[in-house]
Short mmCIF file of all heavy atoms in Angstrom, two decimals:
data_model
loop_
_atom_site.label_atom_id
_atom_site.label_comp_id
_atom_site.label_asym_id
_atom_site.label_seq_id
_atom_site.Cartn_x
_atom_site.Cartn_y
_atom_site.Cartn_z
N GLY A 228 109.50 85.36 103.27
CA GLY A 228 109.61 84.71 104.58
C GLY A 228 110.99 84.83 105.13
O GLY A 228 111.19 85.17 106.30
N ALA A 229 112.00 84.54 104.31
CA ALA A 229 113.40 84.64 104.77
C ALA A 229 113.92 86.03 104.73
O ALA A 229 114.99 86.28 105.30
CB ALA A 229 114.26 83.73 103.87
N LYS A 230 113.23 86.94 104.09
CA LYS A 230 113.65 88.32 103.90
C LYS A 230 115.02 88.39 103.28
O LYS A 230 115.88 89.19 103.69
CB LYS A 230 113.59 89.05 105.21
CG LYS A 230 112.18 89.13 105.84
CD LYS A 230 112.18 89.90 107.17
CE LYS A 230 110.74 89.91 107.72
NZ LYS A 230 110.70 90.62 109.04
N SER A 231 115.20 87.53 102.26
CA SER A 231 116.49 87.51 101.58
C SER A 231 116.28 86.92 100.17
O SER A 231 115.20 86.44 99.83
CB SER A 231 117.48 86.62 102.40
OG SER A 231 118.75 86.57 101.75
N LEU A 232 117.37 87.00 99.42
CA LEU A 232 117.30 86.41 98.09
C LEU A 232 117.35 84.90 98.19
O LEU A 232 118.02 84.33 99.06
CB LEU A 232 118.52 86.91 97.28
CG LEU A 232 118.43 86.74 95.75
CD1 LEU A 232 117.33 87.64 95.19
CD2 LEU A 232 119.76 87.12 95.12
N THR A 233 116.68 84.20 97.29
CA THR A 233 116.65 82.75 97.27
C THR A 233 117.08 82.27 95.88
O THR A 233 116.91 82.98 94.91
CB THR A 233 115.31 82.14 97.65
OG1 THR A 233 115.41 80.76 97.76
CG2 THR A 233 114.28 82.45 96.56
N ARG A 234 117.66 81.09 95.80
CA ARG A 234 118.08 80.50 94.57
C ARG A 234 117.32 79.20 94.32
O ARG A 234 117.14 78.39 95.23
CB ARG A 234 119.58 80.23 94.59
CG ARG A 234 120.13 79.71 93.28
CD ARG A 234 121.65 79.70 93.23
NE ARG A 234 122.24 78.61 94.06
CZ ARG A 234 123.50 78.34 94.09
NH1 ARG A 234 124.40 79.07 93.41
NH2 ARG A 234 123.98 77.37 94.86
N ILE A 235 116.85 79.03 93.05
CA ILE A 235 116.05 77.87 92.70
C ILE A 235 116.73 77.18 91.54
O ILE A 235 116.99 77.80 90.50
CB ILE A 235 114.62 78.26 92.32
CG1 ILE A 235 113.92 78.98 93.48
CG2 ILE A 235 113.80 77.03 91.91
CD1 ILE A 235 112.60 79.59 93.11
N GLY A 236 117.01 75.89 91.66
CA GLY A 236 117.65 75.11 90.61
C GLY A 236 116.63 74.18 89.92
O GLY A 236 115.43 74.21 90.20
N SER A 237 117.16 73.33 89.07
CA SER A 237 116.31 72.45 88.30
C SER A 237 115.66 71.40 89.15
O SER A 237 114.70 70.73 88.73
CB SER A 237 117.11 71.77 87.19
OG SER A 237 118.13 70.97 87.73
N ASP A 238 116.18 71.17 90.41
CA ASP A 238 115.52 70.26 91.33
C ASP A 238 114.34 70.93 92.02
O ASP A 238 113.66 70.34 92.87
CB ASP A 238 116.51 69.75 92.37
CG ASP A 238 117.24 70.84 93.09
OD1 ASP A 238 116.98 72.04 92.76
OD2 ASP A 238 118.04 70.53 94.00
N LEU A 239 114.11 72.21 91.66
CA LEU A 239 112.97 72.99 92.14
C LEU A 239 112.99 73.11 93.67
O LEU A 239 111.96 73.10 94.31
CB LEU A 239 111.64 72.39 91.66
CG LEU A 239 111.56 72.28 90.14
CD1 LEU A 239 110.21 71.73 89.73
CD2 LEU A 239 111.85 73.58 89.46
N THR A 240 114.19 73.27 94.23
CA THR A 240 114.34 73.51 95.64
C THR A 240 114.68 74.98 95.85
O THR A 240 115.63 75.50 95.26
CB THR A 240 115.46 72.65 96.23
OG1 THR A 240 115.13 71.26 96.05
CG2 THR A 240 115.67 72.97 97.68
N SER A 241 113.92 75.65 96.66
CA SER A 241 114.17 77.05 96.98
C SER A 241 115.10 77.16 98.18
O SER A 241 114.80 76.61 99.26
CB SER A 241 112.87 77.76 97.28
OG SER A 241 113.10 79.09 97.67
N ALA A 242 116.24 77.80 97.98
CA ALA A 242 117.27 77.86 99.03
C ALA A 242 117.61 79.30 99.32
O ALA A 242 118.38 79.96 98.60
CB ALA A 242 118.52 77.11 98.59
N PRO A 243 117.03 79.91 100.39
CA PRO A 243 117.38 81.27 100.77
C PRO A 243 118.85 81.42 100.99
O PRO A 243 119.54 80.54 101.56
CB PRO A 243 116.58 81.52 102.06
CG PRO A 243 115.42 80.57 101.93
CD PRO A 243 115.96 79.35 101.25
N MET A 244 119.41 82.54 100.57
CA MET A 244 120.87 82.77 100.57
C MET A 244 121.25 83.70 101.71
O MET A 244 120.48 84.54 102.17
CB MET A 244 121.28 83.35 99.23
CG MET A 244 120.90 82.50 98.03
SD MET A 244 121.09 83.37 96.45
CE MET A 244 122.80 83.73 96.42
N GLU A 245 122.49 83.58 102.15
CA GLU A 245 123.04 84.49 103.15
C GLU A 245 123.71 85.64 102.42
O GLU A 245 124.73 85.49 101.75
CB GLU A 245 124.09 83.76 104.00
CG GLU A 245 123.49 82.64 104.85
CD GLU A 245 124.51 81.96 105.71
OE1 GLU A 245 125.71 82.38 105.65
OE2 GLU A 245 124.17 80.97 106.42
N ILE A 246 123.08 86.77 102.49
CA ILE A 246 123.49 87.98 101.77
C ILE A 246 124.07 88.99 102.77
O ILE A 246 123.43 89.32 103.78
CB ILE A 246 122.33 88.62 100.99
CG1 ILE A 246 121.68 87.58 100.06
CG2 ILE A 246 122.81 89.83 100.22
CD1 ILE A 246 122.61 87.04 98.98
N SER A 247 125.24 89.51 102.47
CA SER A 247 125.83 90.50 103.35
C SER A 247 125.26 91.91 103.01
O SER A 247 124.85 92.15 101.88
CB SER A 247 127.36 90.54 103.20
OG SER A 247 127.74 90.83 101.84
N ASN A 248 125.25 92.79 103.97
CA ASN A 248 124.77 94.14 103.85
C ASN A 248 123.30 94.23 103.60
O ASN A 248 122.79 95.24 103.00
CB ASN A 248 125.52 94.90 102.73
CG ASN A 248 127.00 94.98 102.97
OD1 ASN A 248 127.44 95.06 104.12
ND2 ASN A 248 127.79 94.97 101.89
N LEU A 249 122.47 93.27 104.04
CA LEU A 249 121.04 93.32 103.82
C LEU A 249 120.41 94.51 104.58
O LEU A 249 119.33 94.98 104.17
CB LEU A 249 120.37 92.02 104.34
CG LEU A 249 120.35 90.84 103.36
CD1 LEU A 249 119.69 89.63 103.99
CD2 LEU A 249 119.58 91.25 102.09
N GLY A 250 121.06 95.00 105.56
CA GLY A 250 120.52 96.09 106.35
C GLY A 250 120.32 97.37 105.59
O GLY A 250 119.60 98.27 106.04
N ILE A 251 120.97 97.53 104.43
CA ILE A 251 120.86 98.79 103.66
C ILE A 251 119.59 98.83 102.83
O ILE A 251 119.29 99.87 102.22
CB ILE A 251 122.08 99.01 102.76
CG1 ILE A 251 122.14 97.92 101.65
CG2 ILE A 251 123.37 99.00 103.59
CD1 ILE A 251 123.19 98.18 100.65
N ALA A 252 118.87 97.71 102.73
CA ALA A 252 117.75 97.60 101.82
C ALA A 252 116.44 97.38 102.60
O ALA A 252 116.45 96.98 103.77
CB ALA A 252 118.01 96.45 100.84
N PRO A 253 115.30 97.55 101.93
CA PRO A 253 114.05 97.17 102.55
C PRO A 253 113.94 95.66 102.72
O PRO A 253 114.76 94.90 102.16
CB PRO A 253 112.99 97.69 101.57
CG PRO A 253 113.72 97.74 100.25
CD PRO A 253 115.11 98.11 100.58
N THR A 254 112.99 95.20 103.49
CA THR A 254 112.89 93.78 103.80
C THR A 254 112.21 93.01 102.68
O THR A 254 112.12 91.77 102.76
CB THR A 254 112.17 93.54 105.10
OG1 THR A 254 110.85 94.15 105.05
CG2 THR A 254 112.95 94.16 106.28
N SER A 255 111.69 93.68 101.69
CA SER A 255 110.98 92.97 100.61
C SER A 255 111.16 93.72 99.28
O SER A 255 111.23 94.93 99.27
CB SER A 255 109.48 92.77 100.91
OG SER A 255 108.85 94.02 101.06
N PHE A 256 111.18 92.91 98.18
CA PHE A 256 111.22 93.44 96.82
C PHE A 256 110.20 92.69 96.00
O PHE A 256 110.09 91.50 96.08
CB PHE A 256 112.60 93.22 96.20
CG PHE A 256 113.69 94.12 96.69
CD1 PHE A 256 114.46 93.70 97.79
CD2 PHE A 256 113.95 95.36 96.15
CE1 PHE A 256 115.50 94.46 98.28
CE2 PHE A 256 114.97 96.15 96.64
CZ PHE A 256 115.75 95.72 97.71
N TYR A 257 109.46 93.45 95.18
CA TYR A 257 108.56 92.80 94.20
C TYR A 257 108.94 93.12 92.78
O TYR A 257 108.27 92.69 91.83
CB TYR A 257 107.11 93.15 94.50
CG TYR A 257 106.79 94.64 94.51
CD1 TYR A 257 106.54 95.34 93.33
CD2 TYR A 257 106.72 95.29 95.73
CE1 TYR A 257 106.24 96.69 93.34
CE2 TYR A 257 106.43 96.65 95.79
CZ TYR A 257 106.19 97.35 94.59
OH TYR A 257 105.90 98.67 94.65
N VAL A 258 110.03 93.87 92.57
CA VAL A 258 110.55 94.17 91.26
C VAL A 258 112.00 93.75 91.21
O VAL A 258 112.83 94.22 92.04
CB VAL A 258 110.43 95.69 90.92
CG1 VAL A 258 111.01 95.99 89.59
CG2 VAL A 258 108.98 96.13 91.00
N GLY A 259 112.36 92.85 90.28
CA GLY A 259 113.72 92.43 90.18
C GLY A 259 113.96 91.61 88.93
O GLY A 259 113.08 91.10 88.27
N ASP A 260 115.30 91.49 88.63
CA ASP A 260 115.72 90.67 87.48
C ASP A 260 117.22 90.44 87.64
O ASP A 260 117.90 91.12 88.36
CB ASP A 260 115.38 91.34 86.16
CG ASP A 260 115.56 90.39 84.98
OD1 ASP A 260 115.56 89.15 85.20
OD2 ASP A 260 115.66 90.85 83.83
N VAL A 261 117.72 89.46 86.83
CA VAL A 261 119.14 89.17 86.82
C VAL A 261 119.71 89.72 85.53
O VAL A 261 119.12 89.56 84.45
CB VAL A 261 119.42 87.67 86.92
CG1 VAL A 261 120.92 87.39 86.83
CG2 VAL A 261 118.82 87.09 88.23
N SER A 262 120.84 90.42 85.66
CA SER A 262 121.49 91.05 84.50
C SER A 262 121.94 89.97 83.50
O SER A 262 122.32 88.86 83.87
CB SER A 262 122.68 91.85 84.94
OG SER A 262 123.43 92.29 83.82
N VAL A 263 121.93 90.35 82.22
CA VAL A 263 122.43 89.46 81.16
C VAL A 263 123.94 89.61 81.02
O VAL A 263 124.65 88.65 80.70
CB VAL A 263 121.70 89.73 79.83
CG1 VAL A 263 122.30 88.89 78.72
CG2 VAL A 263 120.23 89.48 79.94
N GLU A 264 124.45 90.80 81.35
CA GLU A 264 125.88 91.08 81.17
C GLU A 264 126.71 90.66 82.33
O GLU A 264 127.89 90.42 82.19
CB GLU A 264 126.06 92.57 80.89
CG GLU A 264 125.50 93.03 79.57
CD GLU A 264 125.89 94.47 79.24
OE1 GLU A 264 126.26 95.22 80.19
OE2 GLU A 264 125.76 94.88 78.08
N GLU A 265 126.15 90.61 83.53
CA GLU A 265 126.90 90.24 84.73
C GLU A 265 126.05 89.33 85.62
O GLU A 265 124.81 89.44 85.58
CB GLU A 265 127.30 91.50 85.51
CG GLU A 265 126.09 92.37 85.81
CD GLU A 265 126.45 93.63 86.63
OE1 GLU A 265 127.43 93.54 87.40
OE2 GLU A 265 125.73 94.62 86.52
N ASN A 266 126.65 88.52 86.39
CA ASN A 266 125.94 87.61 87.27
C ASN A 266 125.56 88.35 88.55
O ASN A 266 126.18 88.17 89.60
CB ASN A 266 126.77 86.39 87.59
CG ASN A 266 125.89 85.23 88.12
OD1 ASN A 266 124.68 85.28 88.04
ND2 ASN A 266 126.53 84.19 88.63
N ALA A 267 124.55 89.17 88.40
CA ALA A 267 124.09 89.99 89.54
C ALA A 267 122.59 90.17 89.46
O ALA A 267 122.03 90.37 88.36
CB ALA A 267 124.79 91.34 89.53
#
């Protein structure tokens, strides 16, 4: 809905984030994960 990355904490609140350079990517992703080695 927000067409952006969202962050969810232990209070279970979904908070869409303001991401720079979103224009270089498609408007949706269904494959993703967070790296173990870096916070990305």
Side-chain angles (χ1 to χ4, degrees):
K230 298 181 181 180
S231 181
L232 197 66
T233 188
R234 185 169 72 175
I235 302 172
S237 63
D238 54 357
L239 305 183
T240 298
S241 176
M244 303 166 63
E245 296 181 2
I246 305 298
S247 61
N248 299 328
L249 276 178
I251 66 173
T254 57
S255 63
F256 288 91
Y257 54 85
V258 178
D260 192 18
V261 178
S262 171
V263 177
E264 293 187 342
E265 54 177 332
N266 197 13

